[in-house]
Amino acid sequence: MPERTESESRKLLGRLRDTLAEDSAGQTRLDRITHIIADSMQTEVCSIYLFRDADTLELCATEGLKAEAVHQTRMRLGEGLVGRVAKTARAINTANAPQEKGFRFMPETGEEIYSSFLGVPIQRLGERLGVLVVQSKVARSYSEDEIYALEVVAMVLAEMTELGAFVGEGAALSALHKQPQMFRGSVGQEGAAEGNVYLHEPRVVVTNPIADDPHAELRRLDDAVQKLRGVVDHMVSHVKNGDREQDEVLETYRMFANSRSWMRRMQEDISRGLSAEAAVEKEQSSARARMEEVADAYLRERLHDLDDLSNRLLRILTGQGADTGAEMPENPILLARNIGPGELLEYGRKLKGIVLEEGSVGSHAAIVARALAIPLVIQAPKILTEALNGDHILVDGEQGIVHLRPEETVVRAFREKIAMLEQAQERYVGIREKPAETLDGKVVALTMNAGLMADLPSLEGSGAEGVGLFRTELQFLVRSTVPKRGELAALYSRVLDAAQTKRVVFRTLDIGSDKVLPYMKRPEEPNPALGWRAIRVGLDKPGVMRMQLQALVRAANGRPLSVMFPFVAQFEEFKDARRLMLDTLEHEDKLGHVMPESYEIGAMLETPSLAFAPQQFFEMADFISIGGNDLKQFFFAADRENELVRKRYDTLNVSYLGFLEMIVGRCNDTHTPLSFCGEDAGRPLEALCFAAIGMRALSMRPASIGPVKHLLRRSNLDDAKAVIDLARKDGAQSVRPAMMDFLQNSL
């Protein structure tokens, strides 16, 4: 086979375009295309394999192999040379295919007489669609020029497959974005929702992958890249704020935007016959394929940067901005790769659910979703490549599962689940005003967690006795500059107004780790979760904390004030923070501001070290709240953002329960009020165990108060404690099985 030239490549693409423009069936088009490719590239065989399901390839068209093998020959992902091309997303080029590692002989195709083999992936933006193969009898390796020419053709086939050009009978020729799909992610916020897809950043559609005039396409690309470079330069010059990590990301953007090799590859793609848009997308698809193979987190993030840059370039070329004019559907379920808290708050309660390809349980998006009580599934890979605006979708935030375009049987079962959840909530309405009093007469105070004004209406509807945790960092995270003291005072005052006479515990600014302020320089740290965060930042940079404390005092305006400091690891930190609070009160009094009617200064116990603090700490603290999410990860040395270990350790592990019981004992000795705050407080079984070991206050999301109260009112804490003690005595690792049996037999 002779060397290809750029003009020959354009001729081939022109013939393909004419074939695709014909009014013919999908199978007919495929058959014509394999003939054209074999004829143009002077090979004896050209075959197209497409996926019939996620793990199986099917021979869908061929020129040169036996016709009866079409739609009969199938192979698993990774099986044979074709399967290897699909799995690795890399071309295989060999002069002697039968001797190649992993070769699979398929006698029904008659391919045994063909020695040379060249297979390239048919893929679009990380989505594997199939494999394009050429074969010849002569034993020879194909040149780099020939490989490149076939990759360009595969790119066009991928675009036309996306546009539905090859739809026909059978699973392999079924229309894309029409079949039911299930995605398994992780739970970000519990709940269940049914609705329709609304893409945060709608996919760019390339409708014409083949260029009519390469010179005009090169000019379009050059103009678009110049605009992109201008946008990136503006970002770099206007966003620089001393945050080294953010500055590095922006400089990486600029480096990619000015990359000669990136530009050269796209120009070569166009010279081969692709349109400017198709050339950009071809390189983007290659980058996404590399992204899947890169284990290094830094390199993956840089490839993400290139991916984002490609999206920006595509939007410039196509004019398809982020705002496409698509109307938000009824019952919208938002889909995004990731999303910031400010953007999510703009959507607000219009959303019925959220699905992210990335995200984490402690991310800003998860915090806002919990505040808005919107079901959230995170880490649902590749859902954006499959979903279209308006698609029917089910979000199961209880299991971390998403059903896209579900079958009717799945819809019926899901609606029954939603109905059961709604019925359960209705059942809890009858006990909303009643105390969480157990059968043996012990009362547990149930309060709610909040972080937005939007949370406060739940205070009355949920039956919460107050706000056990008001997260103050959200007002800092959603802004591009530090909020002013007067703005914060007005907000905190509205929170107290909404709570009326119910107690609100304000946690001071908890930043660092996964909560990064866009306007604050972030130090480089190998492990931010154990680094400069929360009270450590507040004490090292007291100006912001002093300003926040002043806002809280002014917001109280004669009402009771409860302030809690986060992430206290030792007694001295609490003493320093408490002194800052007392100095603030004294200063505000001298300025003539109305003092709080009373004040409480407490600490969040999130580090095991604080549980062993001197007795004077427990005597000095007006109250203590266990921050269960952080305390658990530090107790077990298991990062709660790491899916490999996050679920490995049980909250009802006897060691952890014993540790919590020790804290209860220390607080009882000094008569220090103690509460438990975190996701586990809102799980009925865990809440019952916490109450059984002596905790008398739990703070949780509003929707959990009903289920927790319902179980507590039907339980005897002495009996539950006896079950826990017996399980420990028997050497059980967790009391969960014993407690489950106890509940089944006693309720």
Side-chain angles (χ1 to χ4, degrees):
M1 185 167 68
E3 293 290 303
R4 308 290 305 161
T5 66
E6 291 179 3
S7 60
E8 287 175 321
S9 291
R10 290 199 296 273
K11 287 178 184 177
L12 170 57
L13 292 185
R15 293 176 68 186
L16 291 179
R17 180 184 56 200
D18 294 341
T19 297
L20 292 167
E22 294 173 359
D23 186 12
S24 55
Q27 185 64 56
T28 303
R29 283 176 171 163
L30 282 174
D31 293 339
R32 285 275 299 142
I33 285 169
T34 54
H35 173 76
I36 289 170
I37 295 172
D39 177 63
S40 177
M41 299 190 71
Q42 299 177 28
T43 62
E44 289 148 304
V45 173
C46 175
S47 304
I48 295 174
Y49 298 81
L50 298 176
F51 278 98
R52 61 176 285 111
D53 58 45
D55 298 308
T56 310
L57 287 152
E58 182 177 300
L59 176 63
C60 290
T62 187
E63 172 79 12
L65 299 183
K66 292 181 179 179
E68 54 266 31
V70 174
H71 297 304
Q72 300 302 314
T73 296
R74 295 170 186 169
M75 63 208 69
R76 305 289 288 176
L77 183 66
E79 182 181 12
L81 299 187
V82 173
R84 277 177 55 199
V85 172
K87 184 175 183 178
T88 62
R90 293 178 180 274
I92 291 181
N93 176 21
T94 177
N96 192 343
Q99 298 300 313
E100 188 74 16
K101 180 181 178 181
F103 175 79
R104 177 198 163 194
F105 176 56
M106 295 178 289
E108 72 275 13
T109 66
E111 69 170 348
E112 62 273 10
I113 62 174
Y114 303 106
S115 180
S116 64
F117 175 99
L118 171 59
V120 298
I122 303 172
Q123 59 184 353
R124 182 181 186 274
L125 303 182
E127 182 181 12
R128 295 178 301 210
L129 301 173
V131 177
L132 175 60
V133 175
V134 292
Q135 295 171 271
S136 294
K137 293 178 182 177
V138 177
R140 61 179 295 273
S141 293
Y142 296 95
S143 69
E144 290 186 8
D145 191 66
E146 291 165 337
I147 296 171
Y148 194 94
L150 200 62
E151 287 177 337
V152 169
V153 173
M155 170 66 196
V156 173
L157 294 181
E159 288 298 335
M160 301 318 295
T161 302
E162 171 73 16
L163 293 172
F166 309 125
V167 174
E169 296 182 4
L173 297 185
S174 61
L176 297 179
H177 314 298
K178 299 292 184 184
Q179 302 304 311
Q181 299 282 345
M182 187 189 81
F183 298 86
R184 190 175 296 277
S186 299
V187 176
Q189 161 66 15
E190 296 166 347
E194 176 181 2
N196 301 292
V197 168
Y198 186 70
L199 297 172
H200 180 55
E201 290 186 347
R203 61 201 298 158
V204 175
V205 179
V206 178
T207 56
N208 182 18
I210 301 172
D212 293 317
D213 182 351
H215 295 293
E217 294 301 306
L218 287 169
R219 287 194 298 273
R220 290 181 63 232
L221 177 68
D222 188 62
D223 290 345
V225 169
Q226 291 303 322
K227 287 182 182 178
L228 177 68
R229 289 170 178 168
V231 169
V232 173
D233 286 342
H234 182 271
M235 289 169 59
V236 172
S237 61
H238 285 75
V239 181
K240 275 184 177 285
N241 56 12
D243 184 329
R244 181 174 177 181
E245 183 175 335
Q246 186 172 340
D247 290 347
E248 284 181 356
V249 170
L250 292 174
E251 287 296 346
T252 302
Y253 258 48
R254 180 146 63 184
M255 179 191 74
F256 280 137
N258 289 277
S259 169
R260 293 181 180 178
S261 59
W262 184 48
M263 188 69 174
R264 185 175 61 252
R265 288 194 301 271
M266 292 187 291
Q267 290 170 335
E268 190 169 349
D269 293 335
I270 291 173
S271 68
R272 297 279 180 174
L274 292 182
S275 66
E277 293 90 339
V280 175
E281 201 164 89
K282 178 177 179 293
E283 296 309 314
Q284 188 179 18
S285 294
S286 298
R288 285 199 181 179
R290 293 197 301 274
M291 204 184 301
E292 296 220 348
E293 297 180 358
V294 172
D296 183 84
Y298 178 81
L299 291 178
R300 281 179 62 85
E301 196 59 37
R302 297 295 73 78
L303 286 169
H304 269 310
D305 295 338
L306 179 57
D307 191 61
D308 182 68
L309 207 63
S310 298
N311 279 332
R312 290 174 182 268
L313 184 55
L314 280 171
R315 295 191 189 286
I316 292 172
L317 281 166
T318 61
Q320 299 174 32
D323 183 5
T324 61
E327 289 188 9
M328 184 176 285
E330 187 178 355
N331 298 320
I333 306 287
L334 184 71
L335 268 63
R337 188 180 121 192
N338 221 332
I339 189 168
E343 295 172 300
L344 191 50
L345 283 170
E346 286 181 13
Y347 286 109
R349 294 186 185 275
K350 290 180 290 188
L351 302 177
K352 297 297 181 182
I354 306 165
V355 182
L356 301 179
E357 281 197 339
E358 299 179 358
S360 63
V361 293
S363 67
H364 306 156
I367 293 169
V368 174
R370 290 187 201 112
L372 297 173
I374 299 174
L376 167 66
V377 172
I378 57 176
Q379 297 170 358
K382 297 192 176 180
I383 192 168
L384 292 178
T385 62
E386 182 61 38
L388 297 178
N389 268 331
D391 278 347
H392 188 200
I393 186 171
L394 309 176
V395 178
D396 187 346
E398 311 286 330
Q399 303 293 325
I401 293 173
V402 180
H403 297 277
L404 186 64
R405 300 182 292 270
E407 295 177 336
E408 189 57 35
T409 53
V410 175
V411 174
R412 283 199 299 269
F414 192 82
R415 286 174 178 169
E416 289 175 4
K417 177 175 183 174
I418 291 178
M420 289 176 62
L421 290 172
E422 290 175 348
Q423 289 172 5
Q425 289 298 329
E426 290 174 6
R427 186 167 67 243
Y428 305 140
V429 171
I431 61 172
R432 183 170 58 197
E433 304 302 326
K434 297 180 180 179
E437 184 174 358
T438 63
L439 295 178
D440 49 344
K442 299 180 178 69
V443 178
V444 181
L446 303 182
T447 57
M448 61 174 269
N449 300 332
L452 299 167
M453 277 300 299
D455 290 318
L456 273 300
S458 300
L459 188 55
E460 183 176 351
S462 66
E465 297 174 45
V467 179
L469 167 66
F470 190 90
R471 305 179 185 92
T472 62
E473 56 270 10
L474 285 177
Q475 289 72 43
F476 288 79
L477 289 168
V478 300
R479 299 173 60 104
S480 58
T481 57
V482 180
K484 295 179 180 178
R485 181 174 52 201
E487 294 171 336
L488 292 177
L491 171 68
Y492 301 151
S493 180
R494 292 198 302 272
V495 171
L496 291 170
D497 290 342
Q500 298 179 352
T501 59
K502 293 182 177 179
R503 178 174 179 253
V504 178
V505 177
F506 290 95
R507 183 179 69 186
T508 59
L509 190 58
D510 185 4
I511 56 170
S513 185
D514 57 339
K515 305 187 192 83
V516 182
L517 301 183
Y519 44 83
M520 186 173 180
K521 184 178 180 180
R522 180 181 180 180
E524 284 193 51
E525 298 181 281
N527 190 346
L530 296 176
W532 196 57
R533 53 174 291 200
I535 193 66
R536 299 168 183 176
V537 177
L539 292 176
D540 289 351
K541 302 285 185 181
V544 174
M545 188 157 79
R546 185 179 294 110
M547 180 269 286
Q548 186 181 26
L549 294 176
Q550 290 169 347
L552 285 167
V553 172
R554 295 179 190 185
N557 194 29
R559 292 173 287 193
L561 177 63
S562 298
V563 175
M564 175 168 63
F565 295 108
F567 209 64
V568 178
Q570 58 186 6
F571 184 26
E572 288 299 319
E573 289 175 339
F574 179 70
K575 284 196 293 186
D576 291 344
R578 183 174 180 272
R579 170 49 54 194
L580 190 58
M581 178 68 194
L582 294 175
D583 289 346
T584 300
L585 286 166
E586 183 179 345
H587 181 261
E588 291 296 293
D589 190 24
K590 288 180 179 177
L591 291 177
H593 293 288
V594 179
M595 288 294 96
E597 175 188 287
S598 60
Y599 61 85
E600 300 175 288
I601 305 174
M604 211 157 195
L605 197 158
E606 301 168 272
T607 62
S609 62
L610 196 61
F612 299 96
Q615 182 168 326
Q616 289 91 330
F617 161 70
F618 291 90
E619 293 171 343
M620 181 178 290
D622 293 321
F623 65 93
I624 292 172
S625 178
I626 293 174
N629 297 341
D630 265 335
L631 184 64
K632 181 180 173 182
Q633 74 166 342
F634 297 140
F635 183 85
F636 287 112
D639 184 357
R640 65 189 178 109
E641 304 292 349
N642 185 335
E643 291 299 317
L644 295 175
V645 298
R646 186 167 75 87
K647 299 177 182 178
R648 188 182 185 95
Y649 301 101
D650 190 357
T651 303
L652 301 185
N653 177 290
V654 293
S655 299
Y656 188 56
L657 277 184
F659 180 60
L660 295 179
E661 196 168 8
M662 182 200 79
I663 297 171
V664 171
R666 296 209 66 183
C667 288
N668 287 343
D669 290 343
T670 56
H671 305 288
T672 306
L674 174 69
S675 65
F676 187 101
C677 174
E679 295 173 16
D680 289 324
R683 299 186 171 106
L685 180 59
E686 281 83 340
L688 174 59
C689 291
F690 295 158
I693 63 173
M695 292 190 194
R696 294 295 176 263
L698 306 172
S699 191
M700 63 201 72
R701 66 188 184 104
S704 298
I705 290 176
V708 168
K709 185 184 290 187
H710 178 69
L711 180 59
L712 288 175
R713 287 177 57 84
R714 300 166 65 203
S715 302
N716 184 302
L717 295 188
D718 288 339
D719 292 345
K721 181 63 163 57
V723 173
I724 292 172
D725 289 342
L726 182 60
R728 282 196 280 215
K729 183 179 178 182
D730 291 342
Q733 178 168 285
S734 170
V735 306
R736 189 177 298 278
M739 285 297 297
M740 292 291 290
D741 289 341
F742 164 69
L743 291 179
Q744 289 175 359
N745 295 326
S746 62
L747 298 181

